[in-house]
């Protein structure tokens, strides 16, 4: 039993360690996977999607205004000071008095029906006692009521439904715009990491090659073949290259952290990029934007939706001149009582003719509201909405000009970046060849150490220029994709 318990404990510990190792394992991402991860995990996008849900809820809110509105209520109250009314008894006149009459013994003994003919006389009017205060209110009253209303006609209701749906579309497009921004940020951060990693690998190779050359030169100096100046020059170059490598390592770490941030990833998680810089294609044909369609840009689509909202708002303001029609109904019970226990004892049966204290009531009717004069309020509201719509329409021309400028600039930037990249690639290849030949000449004793140091310095500068040009070309590619509206494809 003890052995089985130990085995079970070891199994659980092994499973826990496996889970921890799985959690700490590096995650591999291509550029497409990084973008997909960011679209799912960026907090700003989660906020935008919540705004979409809010827009959908607003549609339901406006739709609910056209559905029946039913409410129920109950009330019990104590009239601790009962309202009284002044009453003049003389307003009802003086009551008539029955004159005296006599039934004789003979009439009683005859056994025949006795027919009476009463007479009345009007007494002398008595002096009025003045007004008297009386109350028609019981100490306690209560009520049970259910009310209902139904909107039959309201010009702004249907327009409000359309506006709410258009607002939902605006929220969705706003989310798409935020997603495009995220794709741009992730792409640029991803390319930055790729370039820095490639540059870092090249610096390691250069450092290894220079270290080998330094050791060989030290041996040559020890054997009296080379001068100490040759060793010192190479050591200075080695130290400078080592410092540059350390700076690049810090820059690489910073670029990786930036990529994690843009992806919405925890900074403590490890990240592995699967794409290679050599696999990235930069197509120069994309610089041709002759077949561009403005509708591809989310900003243009957003402006179209804003124009639709402005038109609906204008129609809504104009519908304020139309009448509104409602169907209303009420049904309930009202009761009275002399005490709290009496009012809480509900006696409301139709057959109760002795001590009933609750009586029902009902009402159904149609309410018509016709606007007549509002001090020109709607007139000025319509004027504002009309000008807002006009401004929105004017925004299309301004946006088109801005898009045209972005297209021209991004196309020019990409073309120039590709030309620079081609030139820097040739320069780097030449610098590599020069450094290789200078090293061979120095080792064969037909070249100077100064040539080697100069060639290595030129090579490092050519490599730096090449990778800077590569990064600029990649950024220009992303900017052009955004300008043409093709950066985010779903």
């Amino acid at each position: 039993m003890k052995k089985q318990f130990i085995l079970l404990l070891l199994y659980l510990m092994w499973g826990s360690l496996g889970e921890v190792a799985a959690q700490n394992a590096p995650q591999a991402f291509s550029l497409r996977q990084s973008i997909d991860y960011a679209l799912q995990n960026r907090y700003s996008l989660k906020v935008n999607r919540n705004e979409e849900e809010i827009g959908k809820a607003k549609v339901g809110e406006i739709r609910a205004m056209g559905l029946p509105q039913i409410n129920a209520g109950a009330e019990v109250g104590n009239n601790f000071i009962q309202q009284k009314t002044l009453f003049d008894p003389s307003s009802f006149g003086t009551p008539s008095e029955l004159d005296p009459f006599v039934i004789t013994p003979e009439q009683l003994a005859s056994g025949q029906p006795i027919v009476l003919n009463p007479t009345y006389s009007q007494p002398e009017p008595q002096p009025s006692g003045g007004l008297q205060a009386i109350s028609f209110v019981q100490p306690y009253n209560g009520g049970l009521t259910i009310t209902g209303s139904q909107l039959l006609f309201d010009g702004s209701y249907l327009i409000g439904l359309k506006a709410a749906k258009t607002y939902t579309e605006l929220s969705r497009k706003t989310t798409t715009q935020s997603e495009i921004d995220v794709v741009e940020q992730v792409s640029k951060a991803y390319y930055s990491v790729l370039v820095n990693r490639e540059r870092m690998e090249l610096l390691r190779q250069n450092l290894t090659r220079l270290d080998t050359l330094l050791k060989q030169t030290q041996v040559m100096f020890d054997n009296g073949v080379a001068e100490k100046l040759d060793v010192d020059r190479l050591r200075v170059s080695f130290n400078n290259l080592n410092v540059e490598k350390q700076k690049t390592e810090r820059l690489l770490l910073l670029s990786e952290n930036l990529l994690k941030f843009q992806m919405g990833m925890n900074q403590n998680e490890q990240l592995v990029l699967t794409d290679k810089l050599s696999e990235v294609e930069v197509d120069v044909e994309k610089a041709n934007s002759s077949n561009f369609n403005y509708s591809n840009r989310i900003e243009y689509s957003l402006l179209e939706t804003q124009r639709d909202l402005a038109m609906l708002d204008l129609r809504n303001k104009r519908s304020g001149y139309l009448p509104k029609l409602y169907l209303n109904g009420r049904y309930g019970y009202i009761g009275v009582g002399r005490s709290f226990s009496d009012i809480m004892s509900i006696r409301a049966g139709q057959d109760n003719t002795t001590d009933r204290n609750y009586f029902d009531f009902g009402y159904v009717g149609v309410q018509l509201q016709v606007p007549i004069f509002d001090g020109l309020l709607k007139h000025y509201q319509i004027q504002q909405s009309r000008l807002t719509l006009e401004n929105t329409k004017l925004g299309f021309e301004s946006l088109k000009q801005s898009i045209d400028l972005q297209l021209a600039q991004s196309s020019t930037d990409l073309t120039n970046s590709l030309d620079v990249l081609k030139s820097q690639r040739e320069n780097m290849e030449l610098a590599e060849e020069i450094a290789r030949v200078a090293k061979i000449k120095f080792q064969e004793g037909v070249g100077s150490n100064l040539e080697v140091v100069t060639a290595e310095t030129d090579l490092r500068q050519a490599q730096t220029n090449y990778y800077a040009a590569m990064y600029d070309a990649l950024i220009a590619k992303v900017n052009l994709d955004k300008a043409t509206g093709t950066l985010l494809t779903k």
Side-chain angles (χ1 to χ4, degrees), residues 237 449-459:
S237 297
N449 175 266
L450 182 60
E451 291 181 355
V452 175
V453 173
T454 302
E456 288 290 337
T457 302
D458 293 341
L459 175 60

Side-chain angles (χ1 to χ4, degrees), residues 411-427:
S411 298
T412 301
D413 289 344
L414 179 60
T415 302
N416 292 339
S417 298
L418 292 176
D419 290 343
V420 173
L421 179 62
K422 181 180 179 181
S423 174
Q424 295 299 335
R425 182 186 292 111
E426 293 177 355
N427 291 341

Side-chain angles (χ1 to χ4, degrees), residues 72-95:
E75 181 182 7
V76 175
N78 179 6
N79 299 307
F80 61 93
I81 298 179
Q82 300 176 14
Q83 183 178 359
K84 296 182 179 181
T85 303
L86 292 177
F87 170 71
D88 185 5
S90 63
S91 62
F92 291 94
T94 304

Side-chain angles (χ1 to χ4, degrees), residues 20-85:
V20 173
Q23 293 176 358
N24 295 330
Q27 300 187 56
F29 290 94
S30 64
L31 176 59
R32 182 70 259 178
Q33 291 171 335
S34 300
I35 292 174
D36 293 339
Y37 185 93
L39 294 178
Q40 294 296 325
N41 294 276
R42 274 288 290 266
Y43 293 105
S44 58
L45 292 180
K46 292 180 180 179
V47 172
N48 288 115
R49 294 188 181 103
N50 288 338
E51 292 295 332
E52 281 191 59
E53 296 301 321
I54 291 175
K56 294 178 182 179
K58 285 185 177 180
V59 175
E61 177 186 357
I62 295 178
R63 186 186 297 115
M65 296 171 58
L67 300 178
Q69 310 293 313
I70 301 175
N71 298 286
E75 181 182 7
V76 175
N78 179 6
N79 299 307
F80 61 93
I81 298 179
Q82 300 176 14
Q83 183 178 359
K84 296 182 179 181
T85 303

Side-chain angles (χ1 to χ4, degrees), residues 281-288 411 414-416 418-419 480:
E281 296 182 359
V282 183
D283 192 359
V284 69
E285 294 182 358
K286 288 187 176 183
N288 183 12
S411 298
L414 179 60
T415 302
N416 292 339
L418 292 176
D419 290 343
L480 182 59

Side-chain angles (χ1 to χ4, degrees), residues 193-206 244-245 247-249 251 277 460 463-465 467-468:
V193 175
L194 285 183
V195 170
N196 286 327
R197 286 188 175 182
E198 197 77 17
R199 187 161 177 262
M200 187 66 203
E201 181 61 27
L202 201 57
L203 282 174
R204 291 194 183 99
Q205 295 176 7
N206 291 341
E244 186 176 352
K245 171 178 170 292
K247 291 169 58 177
T248 305
E249 286 177 345
L251 183 61
L277 195 60
R460 290 200 303 273
Q463 291 170 344
T464 301
N465 294 340
Y467 284 108

Side-chain angles (χ1 to χ4, degrees), residues 15 85 121 188 255 362 394 402 413 454 476:
T85 303
S121 61
K188 291 181 177 180
S255 61
L394 292 175
S402 175
D413 289 344
T454 302

